[in-house]
């Protein structure tokens, strides 16, 4: 894994640039917007709500309609596989004076929505899901009242949903969470001129604080970078540079853990790209030791746990991951998926209700494995396959397009890859 690996743009930041751009007054020009299936779902959704979105070269221009300028969608809004699209949009639509229906694919239709439905109702929203609060979601938007929310779990999607609803509510709305989750919404709102008050893990916005359109450049996604950082740590002769990767501390727990495991990772040229910190990340072959991962760091590396589990199979000693039961309600049950599939490759890995235990190091062997329809599982298995003896075949790998379409262009730089359509 040598040389420069330019990974795709940040998915979370891309969703927020589109959505906050839609609610802004004036134009938002976005450079390096991620063009993945999830972000296409958000782009389609805001277009359905009457927002102009144009692509010119590397720029996407969103013609914001202001907080109260959206138009009702003709028909349902299909959020595809994207929990971020559904949950953030639900907050926005709860405060619009029209009806909306949000649907999703099979995976999204299994994911819990009570975590947004119940607090939005407390703000006066008329919103329902299926009998057990799964999608599709029906919203009869209208007047909302600001409220102080205390979330039982750290979730950036829920926090962002409620803060966006707060912009449409009377009075102030605050959200506190038990540990810090990614703060891209707070940063982006602040960058668009909204006054977001932050006190520890509590964030407050006021109704009708109108965002103003701006220029945004999206950093490379640390969650996508993590696959190649881990590959560089594990494959002999590696020395890789990944330029302009987002290093927001609410996202970079994986770098902390991999370093604590012995990973040679350096941040070069640390700087700000608009509201987000970035750096060029350098990673090289390292000897890893097992680690204990639990507590407040877990929300800061939640999406990187599948690839951390791959790293743990090559580390000496035991790696224990706890306090991560949220993994069970991601695009797949990621605890069950990664344990089952790495197990097929010879890893010593056991599930726990809230995480897993990996015993390393083990020599992985190529196997027929399955993505469980989950992009991060597919990519973690591809990196595991590049370490393993023999051939690994990943079925359902097309879901990689959900977050990181460029992955299949970078992987052949250090692994032999056949793509079978
Ligand atoms: C995201 C938040 C996280 C993360 C997801 C993206 C976001 O989900 O797992 O991939 O962009 O806000 P939760 O809010 O459910 O923890």
């Amino acid at each position: 894994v040598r040389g420069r690996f330019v990974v795709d743009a940040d998915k979370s930041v891309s969703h927020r640039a589109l959505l906050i751009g839609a609610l802004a007054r004036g134009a938002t020009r976005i450079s390096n917007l991620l063009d993945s299936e999830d972000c296409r779902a958000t782009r389609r959704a805001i277009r359905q709500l009457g927002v102009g979105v144009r692509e010119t070269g590397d720029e996407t221009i969103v013609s914001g309609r202001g907080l109260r300028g959206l138009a009702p969608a003709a028909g349902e809004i299909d959020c595809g596989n994207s929990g971020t699209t559904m949950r953030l949009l639900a907050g926005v639509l709860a405060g619009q004076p029209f009806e909306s229906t949000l649907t999703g694919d099979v995976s999204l239709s299994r994911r819990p929505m009570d975590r947004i439905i119940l607090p939005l109702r407390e703000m006066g929203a008329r919103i329902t899901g299926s009998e057990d609060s799964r999608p599709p979601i029906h919203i009869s938007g209208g007047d909302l009242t600001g409220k102080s929310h205390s979330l039982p779990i750290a979730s950036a999607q829920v926090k962002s949903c409620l803060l966006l609803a707060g912009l449409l509510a009377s009075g102030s709305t605050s959200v506190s969470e038990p540990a810090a989750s990614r703060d891209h919404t707070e940063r982006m709102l602040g960058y668009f001129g909204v006054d977001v008050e932050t006190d520890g893990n509590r964030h407050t916005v006021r109704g009708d604080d109108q965002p103003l359109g701006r220029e945004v450049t999206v950093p490379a996604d640390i969650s996508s970078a993590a696959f190649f950082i881990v590959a560089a740590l594990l494959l002999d002769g590696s020395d890789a540079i990944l330029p302009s990767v987002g290093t927001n501390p609410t996202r970079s727990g994986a770098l902390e853990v991999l370093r604590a495991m012995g990973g040679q990772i350096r941040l070069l040229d640390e700087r700000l790209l608009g509201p987000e910190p970035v750096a060029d990340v350098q990673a090289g072959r390292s000897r890893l030791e097992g680690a204990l991962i639990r507590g407040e760091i877990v929300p800061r590396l939640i999406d990187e746990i599948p690839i951390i589990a791959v790293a743990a199979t090559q580390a000496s000693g035991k790696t224990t991951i706890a306090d991560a039961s949220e993994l069970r309600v991601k695009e797949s049950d990621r605890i069950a998926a990664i344990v089952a599939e790495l197990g097929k490759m010879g890893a010593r890995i056991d599930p726990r209700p809230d995480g897993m235990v990996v015993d390393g190091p083990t020599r992985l062997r190529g196997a027929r494995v399955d993505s469980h329809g989950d992009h991060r599982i597919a990519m973690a298995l591809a990196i595991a396959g590049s370490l393993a003896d023999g051939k690994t075949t990943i079925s359902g790998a097309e879901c990689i397009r959900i977050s990181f379409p460029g992955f299949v262009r970078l992987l052949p730089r250090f692994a032999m890859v056949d793509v079978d359509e």
Side-chain angles (χ1 to χ4, degrees):
V1 188
R2 293 187 75 83
R4 282 165 66 85
F5 283 75
V6 179
V7 304
D8 288 0
D10 191 290
K11 178 158 83 71
S12 291
V13 174
S14 295
H15 283 303
R16 283 149 175 91
L18 287 167
L19 269 178
I20 297 173
L23 295 174
R25 189 180 299 140
T28 290
R29 307 175 80 93
I30 311 169
S31 299
N32 196 38
L33 181 75
L34 176 63
D35 185 19
S36 75
E37 293 296 331
D38 267 14
C39 295
R40 286 184 179 185
T42 295
R43 200 174 53 189
R44 248 190 343 258
I46 63 174
R47 276 198 175 127
Q48 275 182 272
L49 294 163
V51 178
V53 185
R54 276 188 302 130
E55 268 92 42
T56 58
D58 182 45
E59 265 193 350
T60 302
I61 302 165
V62 180
S63 303
R65 298 192 50 132
L67 283 170
R68 300 191 185 274
L70 299 183
E76 299 175 340
I77 298 176
D78 180 4
C79 301
N81 190 250
S82 177
T84 308
T85 307
M86 184 170 283
R87 293 192 176 123
L88 271 59
L89 204 52
V92 170
L93 294 175
Q96 306 292 331
F98 53 77
E99 301 211 356
S100 307
T101 300
L102 301 177
T103 63
D105 70 3
V106 175
S107 152
L108 184 53
S109 299
R110 280 198 291 257
R111 297 180 67 184
M113 293 296 150
D114 44 352
R115 52 184 65 194
I116 56 160
I117 290 176
L118 299 176
L120 283 173
R121 279 190 190 149
E122 289 172 14
M123 297 174 76
R126 284 175 299 158
I127 172 169
T128 53
S130 70
E131 241 167 63
D132 59 349
S133 293
R134 316 270 155 176
I137 292 182
H138 299 282
I139 302 168
S140 298
D143 292 341
L144 299 178
T145 310
K147 161 121 209 307
S148 179
H149 300 278
S150 197
L151 306 185
I153 44 167
S155 162
Q157 291 179 355
V158 177
K159 172 178 63 176
S160 302
C161 164
L162 298 173
L163 290 175
L164 292 172
L167 294 180
L168 297 151
S170 60
S172 68
T173 295
S174 65
V175 184
S176 77
E177 36 179 12
S181 66
R182 64 193 66 194
D183 65 357
H184 304 303
T185 300
E186 298 89 297
R187 284 174 187 257
M188 182 88 61
L189 285 174
Y191 187 67
F192 278 62
V194 173
D195 186 16
V196 183
E197 243 173 70
T198 292
D199 177 10
N201 291 336
R202 167 174 295 273
H203 308 280
T204 306
V205 294
R206 270 182 302 279
D208 285 309
D209 196 349
Q210 174 63 58
L212 304 174
R214 288 211 60 173
E215 287 189 18
V216 179
T217 301
V218 181
D221 195 321
I222 191 166
S223 300
S224 299
F227 296 106
F228 295 102
I229 294 170
V230 168
L233 299 181
L234 300 180
L235 284 161
D236 279 339
S238 295
D239 187 9
I241 294 266
L242 297 91
S244 292
V245 175
T247 51
N248 182 323
T250 61
R251 285 287 295 286
S252 57
L255 298 183
E256 290 169 40
V257 160
L258 291 168
R259 273 181 170 155
M261 292 172 79
Q264 305 286 321
I265 300 173
R266 291 205 300 155
L267 300 187
L268 311 175
D269 194 12
E270 294 185 64
R271 58 205 186 269
L272 273 178
L273 200 54
E276 293 286 341
V278 299
D280 301 340
V281 178
Q282 184 183 26
R285 174 76 167 126
S286 309
R287 301 266 154 237
L288 300 185
E289 310 255 318
L292 172 60
I293 303 166
R294 63 165 184 207
E296 72 75 34
I297 201 167
V298 171
R300 300 193 292 114
L301 50 65
I302 190 75
D303 290 344
E304 288 67 71
I305 289 177
I307 189 63
I308 290 174
V310 172
T313 67
Q314 304 307 302
S316 42
K318 199 171 265 187
T319 295
T320 302
I321 300 168
D323 299 328
S325 48
E326 273 296 296
L327 290 176
R328 299 227 179 250
V329 289
K330 296 293 181 190
E331 287 84 329
S332 68
D333 174 343
R334 285 185 175 159
I335 295 174
I338 203 74
V339 167
E341 304 308 315
L342 287 180
K344 292 177 189 166
M345 300 178 76
R348 291 195 299 270
I349 180 166
D350 287 315
R352 296 282 181 270
D354 65 340
M356 63 197 82
V357 178
V358 188
D359 211 357
T362 37
R363 227 181 139 121
L364 297 179
R365 46 172 199 272
R368 290 192 157 269
V369 291
D370 187 76
S371 72
H372 296 233
D374 184 326
H375 52 124
R376 298 204 196 282
I377 300 297
M379 290 185 279
L381 293 171
I383 300 301
S386 74
L387 301 169
D389 295 331
K391 180 160 113 178
T392 297
T393 302
I394 306 162
S395 56
E398 65 280 356
C399 60
I400 289 171
R401 288 195 289 259
I402 286 166
S403 65
F404 190 0
F407 182 83
V408 287
R409 277 198 314 274
L410 294 172
L411 192 61
R413 285 177 53 186
F414 57 89
M416 301 227 324
V417 181
D418 285 328
V419 177
D420 198 0
E421 289 298 334

